[in-house]
Structures are given as C-alpha cells and as structure tokens.
Amino acid sequence: MTNKRIQLKGITWDHSRGFTSIVATSQRFHEMNPNIEISWEKRSLQAFADEPIGDLAKRYDLLIIDHPWTGFAARTGVITPLNQFLSDEYLQDLADNSVGKSHESYSINKQQWALAIDAATPVGASRPDLIDQLPETWDDLIQLAKTGKVAIPGIPQDTLMSFYMICSTLGESVCATKDYVISEEIGLKALAMLRDLGQYIDAECYNMNPIKVYEAMASGDKYSYSPFAYGYINYSKDGYAKKLLKFHDMVSINGQKLITTLGGTGLAISNDCKEKEAAAKFVEYTGSPEVQSTLFFETGGQPGHRKAWENTKTNFNSMDFFKDTLPALDRSFLRPRYHGHMYFQDNSGEPIRQFMMKGGDAKEVLKTLNKLYIESLKKE
C-alpha cells in the first residue's frame, strides 16, 4: 500500500453503539496508518433499517448494514465481497467465533459481504431495583404486564420481529415455503399470544423502538421489565444512563425459551469505493478479536466476535451482559434474506402492530401478511 493520502467516508447509525465505537476504531486506525483518514456520518435507527443500501453505496465507501440487505447486495453487487481482500484464515476465525449465526447472516453464495462487528437479538431487561422476581413463562409475563410495568418496542419493525419470534418458538420457521408466510395454525396462535400481551402494554410503547424502551426504563421508574427488545449493552455500563439495566435470557413457551430474531450490524465496503484495499485493512482491524474485546467495546460498541462475549473483563464491566444473553444469541432465528424480503419487512409490521393494540380479525391479518409475502417473492 502506498503512502498517498486516502480519505474514506462511512455511514453508520445514530447511537453510541453504532457511532462512537466505529469512530474510535477509525481514529486509532488512522493513528497507526496516518495516510488513511476515515470520517463517519450517522442516520436514525429507522433509516438504518429502511434506506436501500444501493443508494448509500453510491455516496459512502464504508457502510454499517443490517443483514437482511445481504440478499439485495449479493444480487445487485453494490457492495464488495470481502473474500477478495481478507484471508481465508481470518474469515475462518470469524466463522469459528461467530455469536450465533451473526457471521453467516452476511454470507451468501460462498461470499462474505460484510463482517459481523456487532451482534444482537431481542433479550430480556429489567431494573433490578424495581423488580424482585423475573417472569419465567409467557403466562408469568402476561400477569406482570397487567401491572403496567412491562414495556416492549411496538413500532412496526419490532412487532414483525416479535411475530417471527413467537412462530419460531412454537416450532415453525417463517417464509419456509413459497406458498405462505406461516401455517394458519401457528400464525393464528402467534397473533393471539401477541394480542394477549399487547392489550396490557401502554399506548406510548407502540411508538418506541428498543432504544426508546431502554431510555424510558433507565430514566424513569414507570417500567421495570422488558421481555424482548434488541439488547443494548450501553445501558448496563456505569456512567451511561441514570439507572443501570440488567439484561437476561427470556421467558419460555411450553418449556422452550423464546427464539428471537437475530439482529446486529455488519461492516461492508461499497463497490464504488476507489480505495478498497485501504478500506479492507480497516475492516480487518475492526473485526479482530483484540479490537472487538477492547477499544470497540470500551467506546460503546457491542462486539460481534465470540471471544469478546466470553471475555472476563467485558463481562465484569457490563453486569455480565454477554454471559447472560449469549444463550439467546446462539439459538436466535436468522430471518429471510432473499432479494425481495425487505419489501415484506417494510410493510408487514403495521398490520401486526394494529392487531396487538386493538385486536380484530386474526385471519384477515394473516391473509394480509400472505399477500405481502407473495408480492415480495415476485420481486426476486
């Protein structure tokens, strides 16, 4: 690599977990490679989930992406397969040390389209000073919800993830056939269970994403428990919020702990990037177990490398966030990543959200989901 001045521009999402961590690793990387400078812009969590990466790849060299975009990326070629720049040994180490299916979530057609530098799935969270006994079963959760102390993220994106979660926990994967999203039996049962809980959830929660749920729990005493929201390690670290949150594994349905929908983020390189070798060097640095366990974690990140999750120091400094939620990550469900799935994801949450809030005809909701699913397959 030459010593010419290289300037790279990246796009991430607007939270300490997504911004300060990647800025910190970029700064340190620049100090070790003075000719390479990386600047970062940020977008909202909703935009992170919604905005097509094809548009972003035209404007940025480095992208923090959501793994459901992997199918689109593989089909359109808007980001660069990392196999061209990273060694087989390095990628194999990441595969061997994946948190759940995080590494796999960015792999299609035997190509690695991003590195899972961040791992997440919905987990339980509580205010230890406000709750004495955690619910163990779905029925326990319903009883606690009746007290008004339970908060869930209720925006469309998250209610769809909750629907996936219940279906998976009941033993059936969504989008497993090209005929329907889920069988009528499991789909109706999942909707009924979500409505059973949803009727006891405060109306304000239906405008909350996971960040807003945790902010509400950490800044006030209204809510003492959240049964399933994408985990945010920041809220379990000293100095971040007014009140610390303790993160847990989740309740069970028929003896099976909830199988939640894998999230997390990946670091990718735009195919339009003019300095792919320099960008790949930074990607390799950020995804390394040493950086993931230290600088990335210490500056607000939620690592994607398993050695960071099993590290004694990271656990000590996060109230055992990693150790206590790792089982949930390891059994989490990898949502569909086919090319047209983002159309389904963008449109299917609202019918479920409305049903959770107001009830209605579950068969009509399922009919709507199936219609949207069939439409999404046609976009393949």
Side-chain angles (χ1 to χ4, degrees):
M1 190 176 296
T2 68
N3 288 320
K4 72 173 183 177
R5 188 163 181 247
I6 295 172
Q7 290 186 301
L8 301 173
K9 189 162 71 168
I11 182 69
T12 183
W13 47 294
D14 190 11
H15 189 271
S16 298
R17 187 178 128 200
F19 185 68
T20 59
S21 53
I22 200 71
V23 169
T25 55
S26 298
Q27 176 61 28
R28 181 60 187 136
F29 180 79
H30 165 64
E31 290 165 1
M32 294 186 294
N33 302 272
N35 62 309
I36 305 173
E37 191 158 356
I38 307 171
S39 61
W40 288 89
E41 295 178 10
K42 54 191 175 181
R43 53 192 172 141
S44 72
L45 184 63
Q46 193 62 49
F48 168 74
D50 294 344
E51 189 172 358
I53 64 171
D55 297 341
L56 294 170
K58 295 174 183 176
R59 309 197 305 268
Y60 299 96
D61 302 294
L62 292 157
L63 302 90
I64 301 291
I65 68 170
D66 197 10
H67 69 74
W69 282 108
T70 308
F72 174 87
R75 173 67 68 88
T76 60
V78 295
I79 58 179
T80 299
L82 297 176
N83 309 66
Q84 298 177 14
F85 297 97
L86 304 180
S87 71
D88 291 343
E89 293 77 15
Y90 178 84
L91 290 173
Q92 187 61 52
D93 173 72
L94 297 187
D96 293 342
N97 287 282
S98 179
V99 178
K101 295 178 180 176
S102 296
H103 184 75
E104 177 188 339
S105 70
Y106 299 101
S107 179
I108 285 184
N109 302 332
K110 298 182 179 180
Q111 298 284 336
Q112 195 66 32
W113 299 92
L115 290 194
I117 62 167
D118 173 293
T121 202
V123 293
S126 70
R127 276 279 300 277
D129 57 325
L130 297 180
I131 188 168
D132 295 323
Q133 186 171 356
L134 298 173
E136 296 183 5
T137 67
W138 187 266
D139 290 339
D140 292 343
L141 172 60
I142 299 298
Q143 292 305 310
L144 181 59
K146 290 178 180 178
T147 68
K149 293 290 188 181
V150 172
I152 64 169
I155 61 171
Q157 167 87 6
D158 288 283
T159 52
L160 179 62
M161 298 303 104
S162 297
F163 178 72
Y164 287 173
M165 171 187 74
I166 301 296
C167 292
S168 296
T169 308
L170 292 174
E172 194 172 312
S173 296
V174 297
C175 307
T177 167
K178 293 189 181 298
D179 299 323
Y180 49 76
V181 176
I182 197 77
S183 70
E184 185 173 279
E185 178 187 359
I186 295 297
L188 293 179
K189 188 171 183 180
L191 287 170
M193 293 179 71
L194 288 172
R195 170 58 184 160
D196 195 20
L197 173 65
Q199 64 185 316
Y200 302 117
I201 298 299
D202 194 293
E204 70 175 0
C205 290
Y206 288 101
N207 293 312
M208 289 183 177
N209 60 22
I211 295 171
K212 290 183 177 178
V213 167
Y214 295 140
E215 286 291 340
M217 291 179 68
S219 62
D221 296 341
K222 183 176 182 179
Y223 304 114
S224 61
Y225 184 73
S226 172
F228 41 80
Y230 282 95
Y232 275 76
I233 192 169
N234 316 78
Y235 296 92
S236 64
K237 295 171 70 175
D238 281 334
Y240 186 79
K242 182 179 177 183
K243 295 286 187 178
L244 290 181
L245 304 183
K246 174 65 179 165
F247 289 85
H248 317 270
D249 206 336
M250 288 155 298
V251 300
S252 301
I253 298 174
N254 301 329
Q256 169 64 60
K257 285 188 180 293
L258 293 176
I259 298 173
T260 50
T261 309
L262 184 69
T265 66
L267 179 56
I269 301 172
S270 166
N271 206 30
D272 285 348
C273 175
K274 299 296 189 292
E275 300 288 350
K276 291 186 178 69
E277 186 178 343
K281 189 176 179 182
F282 170 72
V283 170
E284 182 177 31
Y285 169 76
T286 303
S288 68
E290 296 80 14
V291 172
Q292 288 268 292
S293 299
T294 54
L295 180 61
F296 187 80
F297 163 74
E298 290 159 5
T299 53
Q302 188 166 298
H305 199 288
R306 194 175 190 90
K307 287 181 180 176
W309 283 67
E310 296 173 341
N311 185 290
T312 301
K313 186 177 178 181
T314 59
N315 275 286
F316 178 79
N317 288 315
S318 62
M319 296 173 65
D320 285 334
F321 174 94
F322 297 111
K323 180 169 70 70
D324 291 344
T325 63
L326 185 55
L329 270 293
D330 281 342
R331 66 172 183 272
S332 60
F333 163 73
L334 180 57
R335 80 188 95 154
R337 297 170 298 155
Y338 62 89
H339 178 69
H341 187 69
M342 292 308 293
Y343 171 81
F344 180 76
Q345 181 172 297
D346 289 345
N347 292 283
S348 299
E350 184 60 23
I352 300 170
R353 176 176 176 267
Q354 291 295 326
F355 185 75
M356 287 185 70
M357 287 192 291
K358 303 172 184 176
D361 188 335
K363 286 191 175 182
E364 281 300 312
V365 175
L366 202 55
K367 184 178 178 181
T368 298
L369 297 182
N370 284 330
K371 179 175 178 289
L372 289 166
Y373 177 55
I374 298 301
E375 288 174 359
S376 75
L377 291 176
K378 293 176 182 176
K379 297 183 180 296
E380 274 284 274

